Amino acid sequence: MGKRVGMEVAIAAAEAAALCKFDVASVYPITPQSHVAEHLADIVNDGRVDASFITVESEHSALSSAMGASATGARVVTATSSQGLLYMGEVMPITSSMRLPIVMLIANRAISGPINIWNDHSDIMPMRDTGWISFFAENGQEVVDMTIQAFRVGEDRRVMLPVNVNMDGFQLPHMVEPIFFPDQEEVDRFLPEYVPYATLHPDRPVSMGTLGMPEIYAEAQKAKDVAVVNSIKVVKEVWKEWEKLFGRKYEPIQSYRTRDADVALVTMGSMGETAEIAVDALRKQGVKAGLLKIKLWRPFPFAELKKAVKGIRVLAVTDRACSFGGPGGPVCSEIRSALYEESVRPAIVNYLIGLGGRDVQAEDFMEMVRRAAKGKLSEPYEFYGVRG
Amino acid sequence: MNTAMNHPKSIIENFDLYAPKLVSKEEFFSPGHRACQGCGEALAIRLMCKALGKDTVITNATGCMEVISSLYPTTAWTLPWIHVAFPNAAAVGSGVEAGLTALRRKGKIADRRVKSVAIGGDGGTMDIGFQALSGAMERGHDMLYVCFDNEAYMNTGIQRSSGTPFLASTSTAPAGKKIPGNQVWKKNMAEIMVAHNLPYVATASPSYPLDFMKKVKKARRIKGPSYIHCLVTCPTGWRSASETCIKLGRLSLETGIFPLYEVEDGKYRLTVEVPEKRRPVQDYVKGQGRFRHLTPDQIQVIQERVDIEWETLMIKVNCSKSREELRAVREK
């Protein structure tokens, strides 16, 4: 069994990729992802993993060269954040359409306007519909575990999709946390060698990325949707196996003290741990609070959500990005639509919190629960604690 | 005794005998694709593939060539081929090289060299793909990039690019009543690549097929980044007759507008002789609708620029030394 070490999470993420013995890393530096990039380079240049590190000139080229390498049959890792992820935006849906199981480590950061390097989810949300599988880690341990799981899920012949592992910028990558690392042998057993379906090689020439006319484009989109939807089975299967091997449980939606909960918070990412503290404090005060933590953002776990909200009167959904002029935050609009056809469903309120690194403390979550108890806010969604 | 040299006619009569010695009979860019009649680019790609041979992976930028060759479920390519997007052929190609190199080193694929070759049009190379190309070349990947320059965004309807010649009429720089076409001079892409200190840079044209293929073979052999800038006729965009495709390529050389040269290890060399008395620019522009509006004065302005550029190139051809030669001088 592996060992427990104190390590900066960005470095730990790169170490997790190293345990997966990637063949190619293609990364462009950006705050707060840079330590991931730097440590991947250290690993390659120290010869700890036999791989090529491409020092690309932009994020667009990072994902493009990652695609080229992946198309030859290599196991490829990349990493980015914020503007970098948006810059990759053109290439994101092509990666999933070509079914290239690249793993991307994302240190989530607010997108510009005004420029801001701190954490929220406004970078990954515009990428929601690009056909990638999206994991959301809550702490350093989950970053490491999910990175290894991401290769296994993405490369599964039933899936063959790229996977991004989201870690809240600064809150996770820049923290030193105690982390259990599995042994190399354990990872080797869990993650078999990647066997690509088709590769760019003259021994068996193929054409990749061909032109799809209207007669075939829609079918291609449907095929991708079916693949993403069906991948949830493999994600759950892999997470079960992980639990059996390493004792750490992963679920698409993780419930915390919701069995008899009246009001439940919903979080995604690192704020889950702060929200847990708030729930515990509220429980001490006699408030029946609970918490749902979303770990799998795409494919969205509809069935698991429906099960998890049973008996809950009010859901206080927190979002860390805004859909301007839309229905509120993207997480909330997803949950509302997921529960629309349920005959018994909770009332839903939506708080937009932690934008651009704005601190959210346990007391804030407690206040959100107290106010949500009414089942309604004065506005369809509220920028919690925001002036103006 | 070389019969072909003494009896040039016999080359045509015995074509099947001589041609295979000059060029591979194998087709890697198959007939049946949807390129226009007289498309210089499709012809050049066919020749390039013959020169590259089987152990090649092609990365294609978005553009006419991807459209005409890869309509699902058909493909014109018998070489492994990938198309991702418009601006990133060089980046994808660099990833192909990195992937193949890593997998070969690790024994996961056959232990033989497979060359990564990225191709794009003038827009995909000189404009939107410029940054990715500069990055890929600067990083020193063992790859070849070939720009097929037909001097405008032909795939989207003949819009002006930085490869468009001065005063040419395009759909976004039309010959209007006030402004007579494109107002700036063509970007010299080959020189920009020379400035990247590449081991090999060349200009080429399918009108000189043997010269072009020789350059492709040379670039293929180089272990490192190389760049070929290939000027190709687009009858649709140039508003020229399909059957003048080859002739226009020859005129571009004979007028000195597009000389064929190579820069190896920093040393310039003309690869196809240009007539001592270069033909006037007028001969090149007259068969092309995109230059139809030019006045004699405007043609004279172009002529002067071509003359100066020609002389500049000649200075480089006559005076440049390879890095190896420069090293030898220092050692003395």
Side-chain angles (χ1 to χ4, degrees):
Chain A
M1 196 67 191
K3 56 179 190 293
R4 190 173 190 237
V5 292
M7 193 180 277
E8 187 188 304
V9 173
I11 289 171
E15 287 292 333
L19 282 170
C20 300
K21 296 178 179 166
F22 59 89
D23 299 303
V24 173
S26 184
V27 196
Y28 187 78
I30 181 170
T31 304
Q33 158 267 36
S34 348
H35 288 188
V36 180
E38 291 166 9
H39 199 66
L40 283 169
D42 280 344
I43 287 164
V44 173
N45 284 10
D46 286 341
R48 290 178 47 215
V49 170
D50 186 0
S52 303
F53 186 94
I54 314 180
T55 51
V56 274
E57 83 298 331
S58 73
E59 288 91 354
H60 197 286
S61 287
L63 188 53
S64 300
S65 57
M67 278 189 71
S70 181
T72 67
R75 180 174 282 164
V76 186
V77 63
T78 184
T80 193
S81 181
S82 185
Q83 303 303 114
L85 184 57
L86 296 196
Y87 197 23
M88 286 179 175
E90 186 195 13
V91 193
M92 292 288 284
I94 315 176
T95 317
S96 54
S97 287
M98 284 206 211
R99 310 291 291 272
L100 297 172
I102 294 163
V103 169
M104 185 192 293
L105 307 169
I106 304 176
N108 299 103
R109 162 185 150 185
I111 56 174
S112 225
I115 189 165
N116 172 297
I117 57 165
W118 294 274
N119 162 236
D120 69 25
H121 296 164
S122 55
D123 54 359
I124 185 64
M125 287 307 158
M127 299 299 140
R128 185 188 63 180
D129 299 335
T130 54
W132 285 58
I133 293 172
S134 282
F135 293 167
F136 264 86
E138 192 180 334
N139 52 45
Q141 184 67 60
E142 291 193 359
V143 169
V144 166
D145 293 353
M146 283 177 167
T147 301
I148 302 167
Q149 295 157 2
F151 284 105
R152 168 75 186 272
V153 169
E155 292 172 4
D156 190 296
R157 195 50 76 77
R158 295 165 293 172
V159 178
M160 295 297 286
L161 285 168
V163 185
N164 52 54
V165 178
N166 293 272
M167 59 184 113
D168 285 341
F170 291 112
Q171 263 81 357
L172 293 182
H174 284 59
M175 289 297 140
V176 175
E177 291 193 17
I179 294 166
F180 280 104
F181 270 94
D183 291 335
Q184 185 65 62
E185 298 74 46
E186 289 173 320
V187 175
D188 290 346
R189 270 199 301 279
F190 173 78
L191 180 67
E193 193 156 304
Y194 171 39
V195 183
Y197 180 75
T199 62
L200 291 175
H201 196 275
D203 288 348
R204 187 172 163 249
V206 291
S207 294
M208 295 187 185
T210 57
L211 172 68
M213 297 290 273
E215 298 79 31
I216 198 70
Y217 180 84
E219 278 73 13
Q221 298 307 298
K222 187 177 175 187
K224 181 153 95 175
D225 184 52
V226 169
V228 179
V229 169
N230 289 346
S231 70
I232 194 164
K233 275 184 235 138
V234 179
V235 173
K236 286 162 72 176
E237 186 185 300
V238 167
W239 281 354
K240 280 236 163 64
E241 190 184 325
W242 187 270
E243 187 187 347
K244 217 192 279 172
L245 288 172
F246 303 107
R248 291 186 291 277
K249 189 172 183 171
Y250 286 85
E251 292 168 297
I253 299 206
Q254 208 181 353
S255 302
Y256 182 73
R257 301 185 84 165
T258 52
R259 190 162 302 188
D260 60 341
D262 179 51
V263 181
L265 287 158
V266 180
T267 62
M268 199 157 77
S270 66
M271 282 193 180
E273 294 192 338
T274 317
E276 273 186 16
I277 297 169
V279 167
D280 290 346
L282 285 164
R283 286 272 175 178
K284 268 189 197 149
Q285 296 172 6
V287 181
K288 285 185 174 176
L291 169 66
L292 299 176
K293 296 185 286 194
I294 300 172
K295 299 290 167 78
L296 181 65
W297 172 234
R298 275 295 180 275
F300 192 80
F302 291 97
E304 289 75 9
L305 176 79
K306 285 173 191 167
K307 215 171 129 196
V309 300
K310 285 229 158 67
I312 295 169
R313 189 175 58 85
V314 183
L315 277 185
V317 182
T318 64
D319 259 292
R320 308 203 54 200
C322 183
S323 170
F324 303 97
V331 178
C332 185
S333 72
E334 211 76 326
I335 288 176
R336 270 209 192 97
S337 103
L339 300 176
Y340 180 74
E341 290 194 358
E342 298 299 287
S343 51
V344 182
R345 56 176 190 250
I348 298 172
V349 303
N350 188 197
Y351 295 107
L352 269 53
I353 62 168
L355 301 183
R358 181 70 65 91
D359 198 23
V360 184
Q361 306 203 346
E363 291 73 30
D364 297 313
F365 282 113
M366 291 168 75
E367 176 65 12
M368 283 181 235
V369 170
R370 278 187 220 111
R371 287 179 36 209
K374 274 186 262 168
K376 213 170 174 210
L377 302 174
S378 55
E379 302 161 278
Y381 53 92
E382 183 187 311
F383 285 84
Y384 178 84
V386 175
R387 302 179 296 271
Chain B
M1 192 66 197
N2 192 335
T3 332
M5 292 300 281
N6 294 340
H7 308 281
K9 245 179 130 180
S10 68
I11 293 183
I12 300 300
E13 282 158 8
N14 298 307
F15 189 72
D16 284 344
L17 193 66
Y18 286 108
K21 290 184 180 168
L22 302 171
V23 53
S24 162
K25 281 178 97 171
E26 218 171 330
E27 295 296 348
F28 299 101
F29 186 67
S30 323
H33 57 69
R34 293 158 174 81
C36 302
Q37 202 176 44
C39 172
E41 187 167 0
L43 172 62
I45 285 181
R46 179 172 167 236
L47 297 171
M48 174 192 77
C49 291
K50 281 172 180 285
L52 288 169
K54 181 175 162 285
D55 281 341
T56 307
V57 175
I58 304 280
T59 303
N60 202 156
T62 304
C64 283
M65 289 306 108
E66 150 267 325
V67 172
I68 59 103
S69 71
S70 81
L71 189 71
Y72 186 86
T74 67
T75 181
W77 300 89
T78 66
L79 292 173
W81 178 91
I82 185 169
H83 156 254
V84 176
F86 198 9
N88 60 359
V92 176
S94 75
V96 167
E97 185 274 324
L100 289 172
T101 303
L103 294 175
R104 183 181 170 194
R105 192 176 59 227
K106 293 170 101 164
K108 291 184 183 178
I109 55 169
D111 184 20
R112 66 175 202 271
R113 184 164 177 252
V114 174
K115 186 88 176 184
S116 172
V117 178
I119 60 175
D122 45 298
T125 305
M126 302 163 75
D127 290 350
I128 198 168
F130 188 64
Q131 170 186 304
L133 173 64
S134 178
M137 295 290 108
E138 167 271 324
R139 290 193 297 273
H141 293 274
D142 180 15
M143 67 180 286
L144 164 63
Y145 191 99
V146 185
C147 171
F148 294 101
D149 176 10
N150 55 20
E151 305 195 313
Y153 290 92
M154 300 312 185
N155 189 39
T156 43
I158 323 168
Q159 293 87 8
R160 182 239 165 230
S161 79
S162 62
T164 302
F166 184 55
L167 296 183
S169 181
T170 65
S171 56
T172 52
K177 285 181 183 133
K178 196 175 163 202
I179 302 170
N182 187 40
Q183 290 299 289
V184 289
W185 297 96
K186 181 184 176 77
K187 190 195 263 182
N188 191 335
M189 199 58 200
E191 279 300 317
I192 294 169
M193 287 296 113
V194 170
H196 279 67
N197 284 324
L198 304 187
Y200 188 74
V201 175
T203 62
S205 156
S207 299
Y208 297 89
L210 298 181
D211 176 70
F212 176 39
M213 287 189 287
K214 207 170 153 190
K215 285 167 175 167
V216 171
K217 282 179 187 162
K218 208 172 204 178
R220 192 193 196 291
R221 278 198 302 273
I222 303 257
K223 285 202 171 57
S226 50
Y227 177 87
I228 297 178
H229 195 94
C230 186
L231 184 72
V232 289
T233 316
C234 172
T236 312
W238 291 13
R239 306 282 188 231
S240 56
S242 298
E243 66 274 16
T244 60
C245 168
I246 300 300
K247 189 179 149 198
L248 285 172
R250 289 196 182 143
L251 283 169
S252 73
L253 176 107
E254 289 163 8
T255 51
I257 286 174
F258 193 80
L260 298 180
Y261 62 96
E262 61 183 13
V263 186
E264 210 175 346
D265 195 27
K267 187 180 174 113
Y268 286 71
R269 189 174 76 83
L270 282 187
T271 58
V272 178
E273 208 173 313
V274 176
E276 192 138 344
K277 192 168 171 356
R278 281 176 289 118
R279 293 175 73 148
V281 162
Q282 166 71 24
D283 289 2
Y284 176 69
V285 300
K286 72 182 171 197
Q288 304 179 47
R290 59 177 177 159
F291 294 122
R292 190 172 43 208
H293 58 288
L294 295 194
T295 63
D297 284 353
Q298 288 166 337
I299 292 176
Q300 190 48 40
V301 171
I302 297 173
Q303 183 67 59
E304 280 166 19
R305 170 89 175 200
V306 169
D307 291 345
I308 286 171
E309 282 189 352
W310 170 256
E311 280 157 26
T312 309
L313 179 65
M314 281 306 100
I315 292 169
K316 288 173 184 165
V317 168
N318 294 327
C319 304
S320 66
K321 288 193 167 66
S322 71
R323 288 176 200 101
E324 205 178 312
E325 287 167 340
L326 290 169
R327 266 195 301 273
V329 171
R330 282 169 66 89
E331 274 156 23
K332 267 183 196 168

